[in-house]
Amino acid sequence: MSQQANPRGTFLKIADSVRKQIEDDPTMTELPSLGEIMRDHKVSRGVALRAFGVLRQEGVAEPAPGERWRVVRSGVRVDRRPLDHQIADIITAEGLEVGEAFPSATALAERFGVSRPTVTKALEKLETAGVLAGGGQGRVRTVRAVPTREERS
């Protein structure tokens, strides 16, 4: 009998490998991308997603909309609110007033550890809600309204 890989257990082996990475690196906050898993393990997207599903069932990782999957560690608090809510909190946390300049998409992407397109979508939601004004190429976004407590929660 030949020594061929068993496709049924591949996703479990990948989950084990990623779990070991998490255990070995206490500073790890997000899982490798699906593309990295597919490339490194030579598997399909479906197999990579099944591996992530195993880690989710075990409570080791969770999906984050618009971001990479997050590592879940016991005792560590993570803000799981949508990004636009987190960005809106900057206005009150930094005491910004109506008419003041708002941080750029690049600065926010770096601050929250997400891509610029993800930040841009969140900023567009805040513009639509009337919280921010301006934006676009070369234009500085400004605070249009300070969100009330109900709008942020």
Side-chain angles (χ1 to χ4, degrees):
M1 182 175 246
S2 66
Q3 289 276 335
Q4 292 184 345
N6 179 352
R8 283 181 184 240
T10 304
F11 71 98
L12 294 173
K13 291 176 186 172
I14 294 168
D16 289 342
S17 170
V18 174
R19 190 180 318 97
K20 181 157 177 31
Q21 287 178 342
I22 293 168
E23 291 167 0
D24 291 347
D25 183 1
T27 63
M28 186 175 181
T29 58
E30 46 185 43
L31 299 186
S33 70
L34 284 174
E36 291 168 342
I37 295 292
M38 291 164 54
R39 181 194 65 225
D40 294 347
H41 296 277
K42 297 176 180 47
V43 296
S44 69
R45 180 178 172 82
V47 172
L49 284 170
R50 284 185 75 186
F52 283 10
V54 168
L55 296 171
R56 181 182 194 176
Q57 279 184 318
E58 295 173 352
V60 175
E62 67 183 4
E67 303 174 39
R68 286 186 175 190
W69 281 57
R70 294 185 194 129
V71 173
V72 176
R73 298 192 188 274
S74 59
V76 177
R77 186 166 181 221
V78 176
D79 190 348
R80 290 179 172 80
R81 295 174 303 145
L83 184 59
D84 57 309
H85 292 213
Q86 294 177 48
I87 290 174
D89 280 351
I90 292 172
I91 296 170
T92 52
E94 296 184 5
L96 297 178
E97 295 185 17
V98 173
E100 285 192 66
F102 198 73
S104 69
T106 303
L108 293 168
E110 197 171 296
R111 180 174 180 167
F112 290 100
V114 297
S115 69
R116 277 190 56 221
T118 300
V119 169
T120 301
K121 287 178 187 176
L123 291 171
E124 287 170 356
K125 285 182 181 179
L126 292 172
E127 287 175 12
T128 301
V131 175
L132 297 177
Q137 282 188 318
R139 295 193 333 228
V140 176
R141 276 185 185 81
T142 57
V143 176
R144 181 182 280 171
V146 177
T148 62
R149 184 175 192 93
E150 292 80 38
E151 289 173 329
R152 289 182 311 195
S153 55

